[in-house]
Amino acid sequence: MAQYFEIHPLNPQPRLLQQAVDILQHGGVLAVPTDSSYALVCHLDDKHSVDRLRRIRQINDKHHLTLLCRDLSELANYARVDNRQFRLMKLGTPGPYTFILDATKEVPRRVSHPARKTIGLRVPEHKGLQQLLELHGTPLLGTTLIAPDDTEPLNDPEDISERFDKLLDGIVDAGACPMQPTTVLDLTPMYTGGDALLVRQGQGDLQALGL
């Protein structure tokens, strides 16, 4: 049964978020709010947690997982980024964008795309998630929370509790989120002089990135 943490969306309580962080650091999988929809997250370096996250979401190893970072300064450890890519990402962070980049050797092979050796990265704007990331101290691995038989992401924590209570270790409730997922952009072609490719149009506006 999942522990339930009801936090204020603008002034989240550090004590409750620290309890959620403790669950993550002991191998737990949480549902957390973002600036696009709710997401499933776990510790990056915990293979058992990553496997559980994939089973809950019912996705295979070819589905891109995303590193949720506090800011762009954390990117260099996990992805190869040139100046052109960095300038584009700076326009969209923090915000509802996921950027696909070439993964560095710091990223465990089990969480990068098996064929392409790429990883999705994003810097969320949601205050509760930002503070959770700060307390955790390192990026979290995440994926949009979409129920296996659905096509739309979940945005209501009570609905999440009803459907996933027995599968999750914790739910961070900051009220309803938008129902749109992030806009996903593949930036890997830019590394060799190409252009960014739109993989999925979501909440993030392309014009904000100059595209």
Side-chain angles (χ1 to χ4, degrees):
M1 185 173 179
Q3 287 188 245
Y4 203 83
F5 304 101
E6 191 170 350
I7 65 169
H8 193 282
L10 300 179
N11 296 293
Q13 302 92 317
R15 177 181 58 83
L16 296 179
L17 289 176
Q18 184 59 59
Q19 292 176 31
V21 167
D22 292 342
I23 291 174
L24 289 168
Q25 292 176 341
H26 286 86
V29 177
L30 302 182
V32 300
T34 80
D35 45 339
S36 55
S37 65
Y38 272 76
L40 295 177
V41 297
C42 68
H43 199 290
L44 168 63
D45 294 321
D46 190 318
K47 181 182 185 301
H48 176 68
S49 299
V50 176
D51 290 343
R52 277 189 59 212
L53 182 147
R54 289 189 186 276
R55 286 198 301 271
I56 293 168
R57 182 73 161 72
Q58 293 188 21
I59 52 177
N60 60 29
D61 63 355
K62 294 179 176 59
H63 184 97
H64 262 112
L65 298 177
T66 299
L67 282 179
L68 300 170
C69 303
R70 287 173 291 179
D71 54 47
L72 290 179
S73 67
E74 294 185 322
L75 292 182
N77 291 330
Y78 303 100
R80 290 194 302 160
V81 182
D82 65 15
N83 289 337
R84 191 163 159 244
Q85 291 168 322
F86 186 84
R87 285 195 296 270
L88 188 149
M89 288 189 292
K90 196 169 182 180
L91 294 173
T93 53
Y97 302 90
T98 299
F99 302 105
I100 297 174
L101 296 157
D102 291 307
T104 66
K105 293 180 180 179
E106 295 298 317
V107 177
R109 292 184 65 182
R110 64 179 175 273
V111 303
S112 60
H113 191 282
R116 299 182 57 205
K117 303 298 186 292
T118 53
I119 188 73
L121 295 106
R122 71 171 292 211
V123 180
E125 194 170 17
H126 193 280
K127 288 187 179 297
L129 182 50
Q130 272 282 348
Q131 190 161 337
L132 184 76
L133 287 167
E134 184 176 348
L135 290 169
H136 189 259
T138 58
L140 291 170
L141 196 66
T143 185
T144 303
L145 180 44
I146 302 175
D149 297 325
D150 291 352
T151 57
E152 298 294 327
L154 295 176
N155 78 325
D156 184 340
E158 292 186 5
D159 187 19
I160 294 168
S161 180
E162 288 178 9
R163 300 173 73 171
F164 288 91
D165 182 64
K166 294 181 180 179
L167 298 175
L168 298 172
D169 300 292
I171 298 169
V172 178
D173 175 2
C177 290
M179 287 193 70
Q180 271 190 300
T182 58
T183 291
V184 180
L185 289 163
D186 185 349
L187 303 191
T188 58
M190 297 177 70
Y191 206 79
T192 53
D195 296 321
L197 298 176
L198 178 65
V199 177
R200 179 181 71 195
Q201 178 65 64
Q203 190 181 354
D205 184 2
L206 293 181
Q207 290 185 345
L209 304 180
L211 299 175

